[in-house]
Amino acid sequence: MAQCTMLRMRSLFAIVLLAGTLSVGAHRHGHEGQVPIADLHDFAKSTSNGSPTWLEKYGKQTDEPFSGPLSFSHLPYSRCLEDENKKFDIAILGMPFDTAVTYRPGARFGPYAIRSGSRRQRETAGYTLTWKNNPYELRSQIIDCGDVPVNPFDNALAVDQMEVAYSTLLARPVTSNDSAAHSVTQRFAKDGKEHPRIITLGGDHTIVLPILRSLNKVYGPVSVIHFDAHLDTWPAYPGTGTEQSRVTHGTFFYLAHEEGLMTNTSIHAGIRCKLAVS
């Protein structure tokens, strides 16, 4: 019994001695490298100041195909309609309009879908084997000018908004100084000046009518190369209607011809619509 008691006491003494040793070791270590709780804030502050910034460590903040603001092919984005000092040579412009269709609306989401589908493209990797060049490196300033905020309830208002928006951008001065190319293209303009090019993302096909009206102010009647399944040259729907009801996704070429916006050298391609023979 006495021997067992002595063993227990020795074990207890060893545990106490070990605990004391650990305590002293921790206390000494704290003086060597650890920071008191009261100084943690200052310690964190000094660590932050001593660490490299993102730019120093990783470089520029590049966008991945699945990240970044939604612009066409990750091009620079600007609200060109309100920034009247913004200059460019080629503009991407969305027209999310689809309230003049006869069967299937939804094309108002077209500009968004096209931009989403272009996420894997970018100007730094735009070389094409067919053209044997990178179109983005031909000294032209190309930007995404966003969408025309068309009214979804009033077609007459929406058509006017699209025409005003297109005309606004078409009147901007260009940034390129390619005199050789300009000497050819500026001859087509009524004012003899070089005008920007606008690539429009639709939207139902009605958007062509306000675009042709805008182009007519600068160039006069133009020739159109029309890739489509349908002719879009139909007269107004039969029956009583209003002047605005004549403007649809299938009648805009008919109206453009009435208004003298097109030449007689325009062509269709890919037509496969139903036809009636009389």
Side-chain angles (χ1 to χ4, degrees):
M1 183 64 117
Q3 187 175 4
C4 290
T5 302
M6 288 295 293
L7 288 173
R8 287 174 182 161
M9 290 181 65
R10 287 178 182 174
S11 299
L12 180 60
F13 176 74
I15 293 173
V16 172
L17 180 61
L18 178 61
T21 302
L22 291 174
S23 176
V24 172
H27 181 67
R28 288 177 180 171
H29 183 67
H31 280 290
E32 292 172 0
Q34 291 192 4
V35 179
I37 294 178
D39 296 332
L40 283 178
H41 177 72
D42 293 336
F43 177 74
K45 184 177 180 181
S46 64
T47 302
S48 175
N49 290 338
S51 63
T53 65
W54 173 275
L55 188 61
E56 292 170 339
K57 189 171 184 179
Y58 295 109
K60 293 183 178 180
Q61 184 179 347
T62 58
D63 293 329
E64 300 293 341
F66 49 81
S67 68
L70 186 61
S71 68
F72 184 82
S73 296
H74 297 277
L75 287 171
Y77 177 91
S78 176
R79 295 180 182 272
C80 305
L81 296 178
E82 64 181 57
D83 184 357
E84 297 185 342
N85 295 318
K86 196 65 178 179
K87 297 179 182 179
F88 46 84
D89 297 299
I90 301 173
I92 308 295
L93 180 67
M95 289 187 177
F97 174 86
D98 67 358
T99 49
V101 297
T102 54
Y103 184 67
R104 185 184 295 112
R108 67 182 64 184
F109 299 104
Y112 174 85
I114 294 171
R115 289 187 176 99
S116 296
S118 72
R119 277 186 173 276
R120 296 191 64 189
Q121 310 299 323
R122 59 181 68 238
E123 54 186 324
T124 55
Y127 185 87
T128 166
L129 292 174
T130 303
W131 295 348
K132 300 188 185 308
N133 62 39
N134 183 347
Y136 295 104
E137 296 177 352
L138 299 180
R139 301 184 300 279
S140 294
Q141 178 68 24
I142 310 174
I143 64 174
D144 191 327
C145 285
D147 293 339
V148 182
V150 296
N151 188 293
F153 309 110
D154 186 331
N155 281 4
L157 175 58
V159 169
D160 182 68
Q161 289 174 322
M162 290 185 284
E163 180 180 345
V164 171
Y166 200 97
S167 297
T168 297
L169 300 188
L170 201 59
R172 296 282 170 84
V174 298
T175 63
S176 172
N177 294 317
D178 192 344
S179 57
H182 293 176
S183 64
V184 176
T185 54
Q186 64 190 12
R187 288 184 302 165
F188 295 105
K190 294 178 179 179
D191 58 6
K193 297 180 180 179
E194 185 70 13
H195 293 264
R197 307 294 189 270
I198 304 172
I199 300 174
T200 311
L201 313 179
D204 78 46
H205 295 185
T206 313
I207 68 171
V208 176
L209 182 60
I211 291 174
L212 289 175
R213 287 171 174 170
S214 298
L215 290 171
N216 185 261
K217 299 172 188 174
V218 176
Y219 299 105
V222 297
S223 299
V224 177
I225 303 175
H226 178 225
F227 290 89
D228 194 1
H230 307 100
L231 290 168
D232 296 337
T233 55
W234 315 115
Y237 271 70
T240 303
T242 63
E243 188 63 25
Q244 182 56 42
S245 69
R246 300 180 68 218
V247 182
T248 75
H249 70 145
T251 63
F252 60 89
F253 277 144
Y254 188 92
L255 300 176
H257 173 71
E258 282 188 342
E259 297 177 21
L261 306 179
M262 300 167 57
T263 67
N264 201 31
T265 56
S266 301
I267 60 174
H268 296 286
I271 302 302
R272 57 172 178 80
C273 62
K274 300 178 179 65
L275 298 173
V277 180
S278 58

